[in-house]
Amino acid sequence: MGIILKPIDVVDDISKEDFYEKYLKPRRPVVIKNMAKKWPAYQKWTMEYMKEVVGDVEVPLYDSSKADPSAPINASAAQMKFGDYIDLIQKEPTDLRIFLFDPIKYAPKLLEDYISPKELMGGFLDKYPNMFFGGKGSVTFLHFDIDMAHIFHTHFNGRKHILLFDYKWRERLYQIPYATYALEDYDIENPDFTKFPALDGVEGIECFLEHGDTLFMPTGWWHWMKYLDGSFSISLRAWDKSWAVKAHSLWNLTVQRKFDDVMKSNFKNKYMDWKEKVAIKRAEIALKRGLPR
């Protein structure tokens, strides 16, 4: 049976009413083709332009190696001047990525280049977007966002392959306890179902983004991303109206993260080994029970 992937819904434009009824209310992803075509960024945000505005900034880089249990979450693998990194990803494949970068901190004029889609919904954190850059072949591991926000993820200057999974599949995806990511020992593109049988039958959505495409990812959706070209994206975040979701976000950002940091600091590999065993056990139980129903 394998992992069952359906193509994502794609629209050119969408009304507020249709967006709410078809995607926001049921929390279903969708790609909106024309949203970013109204932004100055659609024309302006080339690789050379990004180098021009923030090229001298030293940025942390991340690779695809498995998380070090003794290191803080999101610990970087290297550092490089932003301009040199842009040259690198235009020249050759690399697994080095820039993660959660805020270029507006260094170039506030970038705020003028995009428009939050408030005609579709409210709750946007307008001045706190995140940008992500990756070389051809680089991969963002399977995870969901810790703050449980709705995300409008717009891609520039290349292509990106994305797999999406509803939050209800978390146990079958081998979620690591006290974390927002999955066991890193399998390749979601080509999983070994003998070693990871709980993945067999998991249902998801497949998506390909091109320059200017915007992906709406509702709160809690798991996502895996692969850069098919050296390229970059911006994520605009909006809070969900649900107080239960807000409480979940607060728990993740405070209690859960602090507990996990303390345990990693004190028990390192022993703690990580325990977490991985729990993830596998929970996945096996979920599979036997036929979850999610």
Side-chain angles (χ1 to χ4, degrees), residues 82-277:
F82 179 78
D84 294 336
Y85 175 76
I86 293 296
D87 289 339
L88 172 67
I89 66 173
Q90 290 187 98
K91 183 176 65 173
E92 60 191 43
T94 175
D95 72 340
L96 293 174
R97 296 175 292 113
I98 296 177
F99 177 72
L100 294 176
F101 179 47
D102 181 10
I104 292 164
K105 177 179 176 181
Y106 308 99
K109 65 180 181 179
L110 292 174
L111 279 169
E112 303 169 4
D113 293 342
Y114 65 87
I115 305 164
S116 295
K118 295 178 182 178
E119 73 279 6
L120 297 182
M121 64 175 294
F124 282 94
L125 302 170
D126 288 336
K127 296 184 179 180
Y128 301 96
N130 291 311
M131 294 193 74
F132 306 83
F133 295 75
K136 180 179 180 179
S138 62
V139 170
T140 302
F141 58 80
L142 185 61
H143 70 287
F144 67 93
D145 285 12
I146 193 169
D147 62 357
M148 303 296 288
H150 296 298
I151 301 166
F152 289 81
H153 186 81
T154 302
H155 198 60
F156 295 91
N157 289 276
R159 299 165 299 144
K160 183 181 272 189
H161 181 201
I162 302 174
L163 301 181
L164 299 158
F165 302 93
D166 193 303
Y167 186 74
K168 67 183 181 181
W169 291 99
R170 60 193 180 279
E171 291 177 338
R172 293 276 296 274
L173 293 170
Y174 296 84
Q175 179 183 354
I176 297 292
Y178 304 109
T180 60
Y181 59 92
L183 189 68
E184 296 175 78
D185 295 334
Y186 66 82
D187 177 3
I188 194 65
E189 266 194 305
N190 187 30
D192 184 334
F193 297 112
T194 302
K195 289 184 178 180
F196 306 101
L199 295 173
D200 197 12
V202 167
E203 299 173 6
I205 294 175
E206 186 170 35
C207 168
F208 291 89
L209 296 182
E210 298 179 342
H211 178 76
D213 289 349
T214 299
L215 166 65
F216 168 66
M217 279 191 295
T219 175
W221 273 74
W222 288 74
H223 43 285
W224 169 96
M225 299 185 174
K226 184 175 185 178
Y227 291 82
L228 302 181
D229 305 292
S231 48
F232 61 92
S233 307
I234 184 170
S235 283
L236 307 181
R237 315 177 84 77
W239 293 121
D240 190 271
K241 289 185 177 180
S242 164
W243 284 104
V245 172
K246 288 183 173 73
H248 192 171
S249 171
L250 185 62
W251 172 270
N252 288 346
L253 291 164
T254 55
V255 179
Q256 177 176 283
R257 174 175 276 183
K258 182 63 176 178
F259 174 80
D260 197 50
D261 286 344
V262 169
M263 293 296 287
K264 284 196 298 184
S265 176
N266 286 287
F267 299 102
K268 299 182 173 64
N269 286 322
K270 185 177 180 180
Y271 176 56
M272 183 57 74
D273 290 344
W274 172 81
K275 291 209 296 181
E276 292 183 353
K277 288 176 183 177

Side-chain angles (χ1 to χ4, degrees), residues 169 172 283-293:
W169 291 99
R172 293 276 296 274
E284 291 172 350
I285 292 170
L287 179 62
K288 287 179 181 177
R289 294 176 62 190
L291 299 176
R293 291 191 177 92

